[in-house]
Structure formats: structure tokens, C-alpha cells
Amino acid sequence: MSKEQIKDLIERHLPEAGLVDTALKGVQLFRVTDAVPCVPAVYEPTVVAILSGTKEAVLDGEHHMYDSDKYLLCPMTLPVEAGTPRASKADPLLGVVITLNPRVMRELTLEIETAAGVIRQARAGAQSALALAAWDDGFTQALLRLLELLDHPVDLEVLGQGRLRELSYSVLTGEAGAAARRAFGVGNEIARTIEYLSTHLNEQVTIDDMAEHVGMSRAVFHRRFKEATTLSPIQFVKSMRLNNAAMKIAEGKTVSEAAWDVGYQSSSQFSREFRRMYGQSPRQWSNTTQVSERLN
């Protein structure tokens, strides 16, 4: 019943297709009525919950399809491809995006681990950078309580941050909790590196710079980075730059402006790497991509 209440609430606040910010900072509602193939995007630390339809996210060739049975956790900034391959007017994609506050997530992770008496151990094995989790009662109720505030402006102003904290807690204690705690807990060096990279995309940052930033040797950093993201540091930086550039071009920037904004000093190198990744030149991308048709 709670899911139906959430769906009705979203439909009421968003009767037409689109992606809209709500009065709750960091909470967006979306409705998609046309099938959209996967296109380059950059996911910030977020939770994406679907109430009807199916959404897709692709990271390093691995496809993650999710619907109203599973929500998506992206615990760190990642270069992905995202699309809505099955959306239609008869069966629209309907959902909500919640941006996670890294400070709140770190505080909650520390509190949870302290309360549980957790002794952190060295991590082993490859981990998925994107995580899918079942809608348990805690998450469902927290999301409903959060979105109900949209109908009550005074309650929203007073209780909004508390309800967002409750939603974050439900993620940390749910099926995707281990992935979230790895990203936001003690020893979250890779997430901190990605946060640093995201704000220095237009600078020439080397692997040695990244390793030094978190106090690791180059070899250990390279291994830990690939375990956390599935990409090597160099692949990650290149994907972040090219995805950001593709989004900027789709939004109306010229090819040269987009290339310069993400740190390319050679337009020919940018064009070569862009074509290698997306199968078409930046100019062809500019001519065929319309931002109104995309949902990142």
C-alpha cells in the first residue's frame, strides 16, 4: 500500500513528463513517456527509486536494469550511461531521485558502526560500484514520510532534513548498506579521491597525484580504485571528462568549449577519444542529441 501512496503522490505533483526539483533540496521527481537509449551521464551520490516502468544504467559495460522491485544506489560520483529503454505514454517511467549528502552519510555510517561495535577489516574481492537493493519496509516508509512533506510546507521546513536523514539511514541499513558504508565509512579513500577528481576535471591530475592525495602507493591505489569502480584510474578520468563533455554539448555548448571545460587542451585529441568512446564525432553528437529527450 505504501508504494501505491508514493506513486499517487508523485503522479499528483508531476502530471506531465519531465524532471522537476521539489521544495525538498536534493529531491527530484521524474516522469518519462518516451523510450530513450542510454546516453553518457555522470551520476552523483544518489538513490533512484522507480514506482512504475524500468530504468537502465550502464557502468563499464555492465547493465543494471531496475524497476519498482529494486532501487539503485550510486554511492560515489561515476561516469555512466543511462536511459529509459521501455518508457511509453501507456507505460511511463515514474520515480524519484534523492541526492545523498556525503557529510550526513559519513556521520550516520560512523554512528552505526560505533553503535554496532563494528571492527573494520581489510576489504577483499571486487565490489560493485552501483548497487541494487530491495524495497524493504524501512526504505519504503522513510521515502513515503519524506515525500508526504511536499503537501505540508511548514512540516517540510521543520522536518525536511530529519526525514532526509531517516531515508539515508534506511539505505545504510538496507540491502545496499554494505556498499554505502564502504563509500562513506572510515577508510573511504577512493570515494574521497573521486570527490577530489570531480572538482578538478579541467586539471591534469596523474595517478601519482591521486595516490598521494590519499596516502597510498601507486600500485595499491590502482588496485583499490579498480576494485571500487571497475575502472582503472586513467579510464575513470577519461570517462568522466568525455561524459561531462557530451552532456555539455547536448546542453548547447560548442565542441571546443566543452573540450576546454573538461581539461582537453588539444581539440584533435578530444575528437579522437570522443569518437573512440561513442562511435561518432563530437559534431555529429551535437547535431543528433537533444537534451530534452534525455534523463540522466
Side-chain angles (χ1 to χ4, degrees), residues 39 48 64 103 106 111-112 142 171-172 181-182 184 271:
V39 294
V48 185
H64 301 262
R103 178 184 59 78
R106 285 192 289 265
E111 290 177 23
I112 290 168
V171 172
L172 284 162
R181 293 192 297 274
R182 280 195 300 268
F184 295 105
S271 294

Side-chain angles (χ1 to χ4, degrees), residues 62-293:
E62 184 177 355
H63 292 250
H64 301 262
M65 302 286 292
Y66 57 106
D67 52 24
S68 58
D69 290 329
K70 298 271 188 178
Y71 63 86
L72 177 80
L73 166 69
C74 179
M76 60 187 80
T77 303
L78 291 171
V80 301
E81 294 182 19
T84 60
R86 302 175 186 172
S88 66
K89 289 180 173 61
D91 184 21
L93 176 74
L94 197 70
V96 55
V97 180
I98 301 102
T99 300
L100 298 172
N101 183 315
R103 178 184 59 78
V104 171
M105 294 295 286
R106 285 192 289 265
E107 289 174 356
L108 284 171
T109 299
L110 182 58
E111 290 177 23
I112 290 168
E113 295 183 345
T114 300
V118 173
I119 300 175
R120 293 190 64 87
Q121 299 176 347
R123 290 167 285 185
Q127 303 146 1
S128 176
L130 294 173
L132 296 180
W135 284 61
D136 56 27
D137 288 342
F139 177 81
T140 305
Q141 292 301 321
L143 182 57
L144 175 60
R145 284 163 53 79
L146 176 69
L147 296 182
E148 282 178 334
L149 294 177
L150 297 177
D151 291 328
H152 305 283
V154 175
D155 291 350
L156 184 150
E157 196 66 30
V158 176
L159 301 174
Q161 292 307 307
R163 298 280 173 88
L164 280 168
R165 184 180 175 89
E166 180 185 7
L167 190 283
S168 298
Y169 178 82
S170 75
V171 172
L172 284 162
T173 56
E175 189 177 343
R181 293 192 297 274
R182 280 195 300 268
F184 295 105
V186 176
N188 60 345
E189 297 92 348
I190 302 306
R192 286 192 286 116
T193 300
I194 290 172
E195 194 174 326
Y196 172 78
L197 282 173
S198 300
T199 58
H200 294 78
L201 272 183
N202 60 344
E203 300 175 14
Q204 300 306 308
V205 180
T206 66
I207 295 181
D208 289 331
D209 293 333
M210 291 184 266
E212 184 178 351
H213 183 69
V214 291
M216 291 184 187
S217 71
R218 179 188 176 100
V220 170
F221 174 77
H222 190 282
R223 185 180 72 251
R224 290 277 297 277
F225 195 99
K226 192 160 187 177
E227 285 176 355
T229 66
T230 75
L231 300 168
S232 72
I234 295 302
Q235 286 176 315
F236 183 91
V237 171
K238 184 178 292 186
S239 294
M240 281 285 288
R241 285 181 171 149
L242 291 174
N243 279 24
N244 270 285
M247 293 165 65
K248 289 174 182 291
I249 291 169
E251 291 165 0
K253 285 207 169 187
T254 66
V255 171
S256 58
E257 286 172 338
W260 180 262
D261 283 351
V262 299
Y264 279 90
Q265 298 175 339
S266 165
S267 58
S268 60
Q269 180 188 0
F270 171 72
S271 294
R272 281 196 307 273
E273 294 186 356
F274 193 100
R275 180 185 288 275
R276 193 176 300 128
M277 178 165 285
Y278 304 126
Q280 56 184 318
S281 72
R283 205 160 300 283
Q284 288 171 320
W285 173 265
S286 176
N287 291 338
T288 59
T289 304
Q290 301 211 357
V291 70
S292 61
E293 297 176 346

